[in-house]
Amino acid sequence: MRAWRLPACLLCVLALLASAVATFAADGPGATPQILLNAGFEKGEGSRAADWGLWPPAGSEAGVGSTCDLEVKRSGLASGRLQVTRDDFSGVCTFHHPAVAVEAGQELVLQYWIKAQGVADQCGCDVQLRHGTQEIVGSAAAPTEKGRFDWKLVTHRFTVPAGTDHVCVVPLLRGKGTVWFDDLALYATPSVSPARLTQPPVVDGDLGDTCWQSVTPVSGFVLADGSGLPERSTSVWAAYDPGHLYFAFRCEKRPGDKLVKTLTQRDGVVWDDDEVELFLNPRGDWGDYYQFIVNPLGTKYDSHLTDASWNANWQAAARDGETAWTVEIAIPLSELPLDLSTGRDWCANFGRGDKVGGQASSWSCVFGGFHTPGRFGQLTGMDLDLTSYYLADAQARVGAVRRDYDTALTGLDLKTAPAAVAEPVRWPAEKLRQGLQQLEDILARPTAATAQDWARIRPDALKLAEEVTALRAASLRLR
């Protein structure tokens, strides 16, 4: 900001400090992305912050302003200040960030530092929920405050609802007073594209397999509570072939580390040992999920949500080395209940329980416990052949509609019944017949079905099932 006038030596010192803060704020903690621009109000021209819009427009309302403040800041060079000095101003003074893309079902975490002086009405952060970049469809606002208080951190979690694909963060002040914002962050979730393998690994805990050498690992684990980075690093490799998903973990050790490894019983309290955890949500909707845990002895635990009675036939092996302990996992696709809702992109998270350091960390920061599916990351672009799973699910869904349709019409004579009586059954029956026939045509040639064909079956079958219910009620009246 060219209007700032500070000694050159002080500028250099502040720039170094600001760089450290800005790097963390811009990139997020570890692998977890932070998706706001100029989150510390460090960039701009004069008193105008780059990347932030203002309301009211600069200079349009006497005694109302949205500016950068060089004197009052929580860190770095500046903060964002909203100020209203007029008693008669009844509007809202805001900064507003450009809309950023999000996905329904994802849980976002908004954090910001806020300081207030003489706020008569309210101050805080609105989160506008948008369809597209412009249409506002709702709000996920953080709680507002008023009065006078020093810098404090606000953490606000919210789940992106259906129908929302963008959000807009809006620091605001309503009524007379002054409020400062600094070091804002909106934490989304990371993603990785698993590698397609031509030669699978031998699941023995040794990461020397040739296939792993060509796969780029993910790292950047963050303490589960979001407070920082763990003492010991963790790396994960993700891959697949036509029949399996493969994962490898490398958990760093330090000289003198002695792992906790006592559990040998399948589905025991494996998390009391040093352990790694894998969470998979095949639907990719940040909802239903499956958990897999392995300790340094190779002892396995699996569950559907937290129900340990669910068991899959999967492989795992571990090795304890000098500088790290390692795990390999192979999960057959056939062991997972895949259906028409399964696509190329799955939700997933990787976790580690480090008993030596007394720390729990994860690839996508959960800001709490591991069982937070809205905070899972994503496995993207997997070229899986899911035809057999799609066909089984589609046959069951369409078959159920066909049976209900036939039951509704069995024994009815729509040709000789009076038109006024038969018509409420005749026209919906014909519509249903056509819809069913279209779906059954797809199922007759499953290998020729396109992704668009499979995508329409589930919603179409659900709609037809509702219409069959109405048809059965009409047929009962006709009988």
Side-chain angles (χ1 to χ4, degrees):
M1 298 183 179
R2 290 196 293 267
W4 297 356
R5 293 291 185 266
L6 292 174
C9 60
L10 182 56
L11 274 173
C12 291
V13 173
L14 289 176
L16 289 172
L17 294 173
S19 175
V21 174
T23 298
F24 187 82
D27 298 337
T32 302
Q34 191 289 111
I35 56 178
L36 296 183
L37 303 172
N38 196 18
F41 299 93
E42 306 295 325
K43 302 175 184 177
E45 293 289 335
S47 61
R48 173 70 183 270
D51 302 309
W52 291 93
L54 313 176
W55 187 262
S60 64
E61 287 277 357
V64 180
S66 308
T67 63
C68 290
D69 192 323
L70 294 175
E71 303 299 325
V72 179
K73 64 263 189 182
R74 187 254 167 185
S75 68
L77 298 174
S79 67
R81 184 187 71 200
L82 304 176
Q83 187 171 53
V84 177
T85 59
R86 286 168 40 195
D87 292 317
D88 63 342
F89 180 70
S90 59
V92 180
C93 179
T94 75
F95 291 107
H96 49 271
H97 190 277
V100 293
V102 296
E103 295 190 48
Q106 184 181 37
E107 182 183 286
L108 301 179
V109 177
L110 173 66
Q111 288 188 329
Y112 57 93
W113 288 84
I114 184 172
K115 175 178 179 174
Q117 180 174 298
V119 174
D121 193 345
Q122 57 183 249
C123 60
C125 253
D126 187 17
V127 180
Q128 295 175 353
L129 306 174
R130 298 190 179 188
H131 180 67
T133 59
Q134 301 298 321
E135 181 187 359
I136 300 174
V137 295
S139 172
T144 57
E145 303 182 70
K146 63 180 181 179
R148 178 189 180 95
F149 51 84
D150 203 355
W151 287 111
K152 62 181 178 181
L153 178 65
V154 176
T155 299
H156 176 54
R157 312 173 71 127
F158 63 95
T159 299
V160 179
T164 296
D165 53 24
H166 286 77
V167 297
C168 177
V169 174
V170 184
L172 62 86
L173 168 65
R174 187 182 299 277
K176 190 176 181 179
T178 306
V179 60
W180 294 265
F181 295 87
D182 207 351
D183 299 329
L184 288 88
L186 183 62
Y187 295 114
T189 56
S191 64
V192 62
S193 296
R196 184 181 178 93
L197 301 181
T198 55
Q199 180 65 40
V202 176
V203 181
D204 57 5
D206 181 357
L207 306 192
D209 302 81
T210 302
C211 64
W212 293 130
Q213 311 314 308
S214 61
V215 179
T216 301
V218 298
S219 55
F221 275 45
V222 184
L223 292 177
D225 62 4
S227 61
L229 305 180
E231 295 173 1
R232 294 163 180 80
S233 66
T234 306
S235 299
V236 180
W237 291 254
Y240 69 98
D241 65 17
H244 294 77
L245 298 179
Y246 302 99
F247 301 92
F249 289 74
R250 183 186 186 278
C251 303
E252 181 192 19
K253 290 172 56 179
R254 293 183 175 180
D257 282 356
K258 186 175 182 181
L259 299 179
V260 178
K261 45 181 179 177
T262 60
L263 272 294
T264 58
Q265 179 184 353
R266 170 75 180 263
D267 285 348
V269 191
V270 182
W271 51 88
D272 280 352
D273 285 353
D274 278 275
E275 42 92 24
V276 295
E277 305 198 18
L278 165 67
F279 296 84
L280 292 175
N281 166 228
R283 292 183 178 179
D285 62 357
W286 287 279
D288 193 44
Y289 63 91
Y290 300 85
Q291 180 185 22
F292 305 85
I293 305 178
V294 184
N295 74 358
L297 299 176
T299 305
K300 300 188 296 183
Y301 170 96
D302 51 11
S303 67
H304 174 216
L305 303 175
T306 57
D307 178 11
S309 67
W310 180 84
N311 286 298
N313 183 17
W314 54 290
Q315 292 179 277
R319 292 198 180 191
D320 187 4
E322 288 288 332
T323 60
W325 69 279
T326 55
V327 173
E328 286 181 300
I329 294 172
I331 302 173
L333 293 177
S334 59
E335 292 298 304
L336 298 169
L338 309 183
D339 56 25
L340 288 164
S341 65
T342 308
R344 293 166 55 90
D345 301 339
W346 296 22
C347 291
N349 207 3
F350 314 122
R352 176 184 178 181
D354 174 11
K355 296 303 182 289
V356 178
Q359 296 179 324
S361 59
S362 59
W363 170 57
S364 179
C365 186
V366 290
F367 295 92
F370 285 167
H371 291 264
T372 310
R375 290 295 309 158
F376 289 177
Q378 289 180 294
L379 307 178
T380 61
M382 293 189 291
D383 187 19
L384 302 170
D385 183 3
L386 301 172
T387 302
S388 61
Y389 304 101
Y390 288 169
L391 183 59
D393 187 21
Q395 286 175 331
R397 291 177 183 275
V398 176
V401 177
R402 169 59 73 181
R403 288 190 295 273
D404 286 348
Y405 174 82
D406 291 342
T407 299
L409 297 183
T410 298
L412 286 182
D413 183 0
L414 297 179
K415 293 181 179 180
T416 60
V421 178
E423 197 61 25
V425 175
R426 184 182 293 120
W427 73 263
E430 177 59 22
K431 180 184 175 185
L432 270 166
R433 185 194 67 77
Q434 293 177 6
L436 267 170
Q437 188 61 57
Q438 290 175 1
L439 296 186
E440 288 169 340
D441 287 346
I442 294 174
L443 300 188
R445 299 176 296 107
T447 57
T450 66
Q452 291 74 20
D453 290 333
W454 292 119
R456 62 172 287 200
I457 289 178
R458 188 168 183 264
D460 283 5
L462 289 172
K463 183 179 179 182
L464 290 176
E466 294 177 358
E467 293 175 351
V468 165
T469 299
L471 177 68
R472 293 181 67 178
S475 70
L476 285 174
R477 291 192 294 271
L478 177 58
R479 291 175 197 279

